[in-house]
Amino acid sequence: MTELLPFLPLVLGMALLAAILLAWHCLNHAHAEDWVLHPRPSFPAAGFSVTDLPVDEFLTLERCWLIRRTTAQLDFVADPNWAFWLRVGRSGQPLALSDESPTSYDQREIRRVDGLRVEMLYSPGGTGQIRWSRNGFDYALTFPAGEIGLPGGLTAAFVRETNAEPL
């Protein structure tokens, strides 16, 4: 037994290295699954697709993401170069991510668009968020910055024309 004592530090070192490598792999693998890029707004892992979106010559869908296997994020650009995104998830699923800082808005307004209750949140500088629900899905259209009035100008089109459906 005493002849094995010199190998004890080596065995412990190898066990520590294996634990570090396993933790590194798990962290990288979990992060890779947090945001998965999709070629179109269909998300089989979440069980739904975004089937309809507004069509406008000044509006471009840039990327489609599935976040943490539950929430879709569609990244848009409106000419001249204002970026914003739409998140969609099944009703009751949080659309804000736990690691995102909460945004406080200065103004809150409730409107009706085609009979749907739409919550509009605004702050100076063009930041805003538009939220609504339809047919078992929640939607949040977020404008981190941009043209003042851009959120209000796109609200009706997104609320009327955006639709998600189960797969």
Side-chain angles (χ1 to χ4, degrees):
M1 182 79 163
T2 56
E3 58 272 354
L4 296 177
L5 278 178
F7 295 106
L8 186 60
L10 178 64
V11 170
L12 290 175
M14 289 175 53
L16 179 62
L17 179 62
I20 291 170
L21 288 174
L22 180 62
W24 178 81
H25 173 74
C26 290
L27 285 174
N28 282 335
H29 185 68
H31 179 70
E33 287 185 357
D34 279 355
W35 289 74
V36 178
L37 189 62
H38 283 251
R40 60 189 168 283
S42 181
F43 309 98
F48 69 90
S49 65
V50 179
T51 57
D52 297 302
L53 291 166
V55 177
D56 187 308
E57 64 183 279
F58 299 106
L59 196 59
T60 305
L61 175 58
E62 293 277 304
R63 284 174 296 283
C64 303
W65 299 96
L66 182 60
I67 307 167
R68 298 181 181 151
R69 301 178 58 93
T70 60
T71 304
Q73 177 171 308
L74 309 180
D75 295 340
F76 288 91
V77 173
D79 282 340
N81 199 22
W82 294 312
F84 61 96
W85 61 85
L86 171 71
R87 286 195 181 157
V88 180
R90 294 192 183 272
S91 290
Q93 287 285 113
L95 297 180
L97 304 179
S98 59
D99 55 352
E100 289 178 328
S101 300
T103 304
S104 60
Y105 297 100
D106 294 337
Q107 299 173 5
R108 180 177 181 262
E109 182 182 339
I110 304 295
R111 288 189 187 170
R112 291 266 178 214
V113 176
D114 288 354
L116 293 176
R117 179 185 182 276
V118 178
E119 181 179 27
M120 305 176 78
L121 306 164
Y122 298 102
S123 289
T127 62
Q129 189 173 77
I130 314 301
R131 298 184 219 171
W132 71 97
S133 298
R134 179 189 308 120
N135 298 331
F137 290 92
D138 293 335
Y139 302 82
L141 188 59
T142 303
F143 300 87
E147 176 68 23
I148 294 175
L150 182 63
L154 291 172
T155 297
F158 270 89
V159 171
R160 285 184 183 126
E161 299 174 36
T162 303
N163 190 46
E165 293 182 1
L167 291 176

